[in-house]
Amino acid sequence: MTEIVKGLRLVEVSAFIAAPYAGLTLAQMGADVIRIDPVGGGLDYRRWPVTQENRSLYWAGLNKGKRSIMLNVREAKGRELAHALMTKEGPNSGIVLTNLPARGWLDYEGLKAKRNDLIMLGITGNRDGSIALDYTVNAAAGFPQVTGPEGHDGPVNHVMPMWDVVAGLSAVNGILAAERRRRETGEGQFISLALADTAFSTLSHLGYIGEVQINGDDRPGTGNQVYGTFGCDFSTSDERRVMITAFTPRHWQALQKATGTEDQIATLANELDLDLTKEEARWAARDRIIDILEPWFSDHTLDEVRIALDGAGACWGPYQSFTQAVQEDRRISIENPMFEEVNQPGIGRYLASGPMLDFGKDPRTPVTPAPLLGGNTDEILACELGLGEGEIGRLHDDGIVAGAMA
Amino acid sequence: MTEIVKGLRLVEVSAFIAAPYAGLTLAQMGADVIRIDPVGGGLDYRRWPVTQENRSLYWAGLNKGKRSIMLNVREAKGRELAHALMTKEGPNSGIVLTNLPARGWLDYEGLKAKRNDLIMLGITGNRDGSIALDYTVNAAAGFPQVTGPEGHDGPVNHVMPMWDVVAGLSAVNGILAAERRRRETGEGQFISLALADTAFSTLSHLGYIGEVQINGDDRPGTGNQVYGTFGCDFSTSDERRVMITAFTPRHWQALQKATGTEDQIATLANELDLDLTKEEARWAARDRIIDILEPWFSDHTLDEVRIALDGAGACWGPYQSFTQAVQEDRRISIENPMFEEVNQPGIGRYLASGPMLDFGKDPRTPVTPAPLLGGNTDEILACELGLGEGEIGRLHDDGIVAGAMA
């Protein structure tokens, strides 16, 4: 964690990935993020992967550093408490993050009547409020059609829910920009973000829309090769696989030097009359380049490949399973200051990541595990809303709030 | 675009995706982003996809709304001009974004000597400054091993460079957080972000590290199915494909209703003694559920599927090629206020996306195309650095600066 936005306070009402990821990002930068869940937990409380004891590693991962309160918002009193937290005074408070429909008890205008400068960010599936999830958005955006081994018939989904993560980080941008604006003007606002639009805007930003509308082209599937440049995977003699890229002249030189293929490549360039220092020429000649490189990789072990390529300054990386990544890659260990071992209640000790950003003047502070569901209910009611012990007891008795669930 | 961060000024020295994506995001939120390129353009100036006239659709997409100056920073005078832009006074200026090595003329301490409260964000491959690109980072992170059709041997790369986009959006978070901090304390800082760490932190946040360290498990490959819940693709009678998800009880009910399979699903639940309203039970019974659903999909056209699933409120989406997405999906058209037709110099008129966020109080303003490379050189030298016509002429003559390239 870090304290760069210390003081900032958000209330999060969320499930699944995008909104929790946004809250996590802000919590790890030092914001006080209060996650409100229904009694017993939200839709994502038991989401897989889970431990043998049915604790969700997913939930624990996405809620590190937050505080948790369980409120029954189907009751008027529960909604009143939620609203009091959302609209509490203070220049750094009055920020709400949600991916639930922003209506009913989460209606912006209703909340704004209680705090005029409220900032609220709502994530939807599609812009019109209709349903879309990462997997359906990705299917619509075109990527699965060109992903997968060459010759494979049918779409290949991504495993990593990237549009959720993109939406989460974009939501943080929105909140920080709106809070900056509030400091300038005193005004809050509602910000909306559609998961589908994160993918569709990226199609514009990376040139895919231009390919269709200007070139009349559909980007072809290229297997593991990187379109328009040189990027390809190879097998090593010890049955590992490596991804090699040579996008820049420097990396292209380094690759030839490491593999001792300068002469063969020069001969090829002559034969094809291509300037192979250019990306588009390497793309045009890719099959021939692969033929030249392949024997070298299949003659060397991963360790030999590593020494040669690192020595020459080539750009490459080994393929790793999740287990190999976690067990063998020092970048995923406490040697990386981003990682720490945390003791996650109910789960145990394991490696957890703090923020991906390093702030020179706001150094890292310990990574805080996820709370127990409802683990901060009483403390929040007492300290944030000023309720007395008796009142808190009655709220428990009436089923309006609930405390830590084991 | 929008004007939510209007006034903010950044200098960007970048290539490829992550840093340009960050600058683009800030430019589209209203920041004045000045991109400095070497005379003739940087490594990415002709990057594919390109038009028939060899104009990069990629470069145009990633530099919308920025200003462009070409400076020869191999000359002392060119570096001096770059530093003057980076360290110009003003409370909203003094922000530098780069993915070049932050040393030599881009050394933070050197720049800080010229503006003490400078904010600078540097993106590297690995944290130690060594090389890594999206494709090598993804290989290391484990996802390619579990992506692709079930039974396929070998890793499957993603096509969409997601870690680049994640790094770009995270960089925006870093800049906005540091600028907020500077307003509080008057202090600037250097922020570093390693592309590799964006992937590795996400492994922690989404539970993958816990699976290895707590469960001793590697997440298996599951083809196009979504692990731990119900998500699967189906073919329609007109040879289209659709992605279906049922993560929540509501979507699960809607799916059964739309496909008229309630009775068969109830029978299956009885037979297997599973509560299929739970995600993990649907995962356990997925093959049987698919057997029940498949005939319905293969008996209906995409249009029939659409009417039935939308009518019931199911969560689904068609697979689309990039061409289908751009030509047939109204979400990628001017019906979506995020999109506009822009006239991109040298390329032509096509659809371009503004910011993915909608700010209630800071409405959308027209999407600005990318500049011509060096298209703002003279204007920036005159207006930002106060140089006279004669001086600017001499800089051109001496090869220190260059103007718009056709």
Side-chain angles (χ1 to χ4, degrees), chain B residues 345-382:
Chain B
I347 288 180
R349 283 189 75 80
Y350 69 133
L351 210 57
S353 173
M356 50 181 94
L357 294 156
D358 280 273
F359 294 95
K361 284 270 180 184
D362 291 277
R364 289 181 180 272
T365 56
V367 177
T368 311
L372 286 174
L373 182 65
N376 312 97
T377 296
D378 290 2
E379 150 209 331
I380 290 168
L381 294 173

Side-chain angles (χ1 to χ4, degrees), chain B residues 82-358:
Chain B
H83 290 172
L85 286 172
M86 291 170 174
T87 61
K88 199 184 166 196
E89 79 249 0
N92 291 317
S93 300
I95 307 177
V96 177
L97 162 67
T98 191
N99 66 321
L100 271 63
R103 55 179 187 255
W105 71 287
L106 287 173
D107 174 58
Y108 178 72
E109 292 305 323
L111 286 164
K112 186 169 154 46
K114 295 178 181 162
R115 175 165 176 158
N116 192 48
D117 68 348
L118 188 78
I119 292 169
M120 182 167 175
L121 189 140
I123 302 177
T124 60
N126 288 309
R127 168 176 288 270
D128 63 5
S130 65
I131 312 160
L133 290 181
D134 180 273
Y135 303 93
T136 63
V137 165
N138 197 51
F143 293 104
Q145 307 278 40
V146 295
T147 302
E150 279 187 283
H152 172 71
D153 190 26
V156 171
N157 286 359
H158 61 199
V159 169
M160 164 64 207
M162 67 177 144
W163 305 116
D164 276 328
V165 173
V166 166
L169 292 169
S170 184
V172 175
N173 291 336
I175 288 170
L176 290 175
E179 199 259 348
R180 181 178 190 276
R181 191 70 162 152
R182 185 168 74 178
R183 289 184 173 216
E184 285 178 345
T185 65
E187 286 191 320
Q189 57 187 304
F190 183 77
I191 311 146
S192 59
L193 171 61
L195 187 69
D197 283 345
T198 69
F200 299 152
S201 63
T202 301
L203 287 182
S204 162
H205 301 337
L206 297 185
Y208 289 92
I209 291 177
E211 272 184 291
V212 172
Q213 292 194 331
I214 300 290
N215 289 357
D217 254 358
D218 231 338
R219 178 96 53 107
T222 59
N224 282 350
Q225 297 192 41
V226 183
Y227 179 70
T229 184
F230 189 78
C232 184
D233 59 326
F234 293 93
S235 289
T236 63
S237 64
D238 51 349
E239 293 182 348
R240 290 292 298 266
R241 256 186 124 73
V242 293
M243 179 69 199
I244 305 295
T245 67
F247 295 0
T248 67
R250 194 159 60 84
H251 295 160
W252 174 234
Q253 278 307 321
L255 177 60
Q256 293 172 67
K257 191 176 160 218
T259 56
T261 53
E262 295 104 322
D263 291 349
Q264 285 168 276
I265 296 289
T267 305
L268 178 68
N270 273 333
E271 181 197 327
L272 301 179
D273 195 20
L274 283 172
D275 175 3
L276 292 178
T277 64
K278 297 198 165 175
E279 288 189 272
E280 61 268 31
R282 294 196 288 279
W283 172 247
R286 64 192 180 279
D287 291 341
R288 299 289 301 277
I289 296 171
I290 291 168
D291 286 344
I292 292 172
L293 293 172
E294 213 149 44
W296 185 85
F297 285 97
S298 63
D299 277 354
H300 291 82
T301 64
L302 177 60
D303 278 344
E304 291 166 350
V305 165
R306 184 188 308 277
I307 289 164
L309 294 181
D310 283 349
C315 185
W316 76 289
Y319 284 91
Q320 302 178 140
S321 67
F322 295 121
T323 297
Q324 287 168 332
V326 171
Q327 294 184 345
E328 297 169 14
D329 195 322
R330 290 178 174 187
R331 295 173 297 180
I332 307 179
S333 78
I334 53 169
E335 283 184 39
N336 181 340
M338 185 173 76
F339 283 107
E340 252 176 73
E341 284 227 323
V342 300
N343 192 1
Q344 178 64 50
I347 288 180
R349 283 189 75 80
Y350 69 133
L351 210 57
S353 173
M356 50 181 94
L357 294 156
D358 280 273

Side-chain angles (χ1 to χ4, degrees), chain A residues 314-376:
Chain A
C315 185
W316 76 288
Y319 284 91
Q320 301 178 140
S321 68
F322 296 119
T323 297
Q324 286 167 331
V326 171
Q327 293 183 346
E328 297 169 15
D329 194 323
R330 289 177 175 186
R331 296 173 295 180
I332 307 178
S333 78
I334 54 170
E335 284 184 38
N336 181 340
M338 186 175 76
F339 283 107
E340 252 176 71
E341 285 228 321
V342 301
N343 192 0
Q344 179 63 51
I347 288 179
R349 283 188 75 80
Y350 69 132
L351 210 57
S353 173
M356 49 181 96
L357 294 156
D358 280 273
F359 294 95
K361 285 269 179 185
D362 292 275
R364 289 180 180 273
T365 57
V367 177
T368 312
L372 287 174
L373 182 66
N376 311 96

Side-chain angles (χ1 to χ4, degrees), chain A residues 283-340:
Chain A
W283 172 249
R286 64 193 181 278
D287 291 342
R288 300 288 301 277
I289 296 172
I290 292 168
D291 286 345
I292 291 172
L293 293 172
E294 213 150 42
W296 185 85
F297 285 97
S298 63
D299 276 355
H300 291 83
T301 65
L302 176 61
D303 277 344
E304 291 165 350
V305 165
R306 184 189 309 276
I307 289 164
L309 294 181
D310 283 349
C315 185
W316 76 288
Y319 284 91
Q320 301 178 140
S321 68
F322 296 119
T323 297
Q324 286 167 331
V326 171
Q327 293 183 346
E328 297 169 15
D329 194 323
R330 289 177 175 186
R331 296 173 295 180
I332 307 178
S333 78
I334 54 170
E335 284 184 38
N336 181 340
M338 186 175 76
F339 283 107
E340 252 176 71

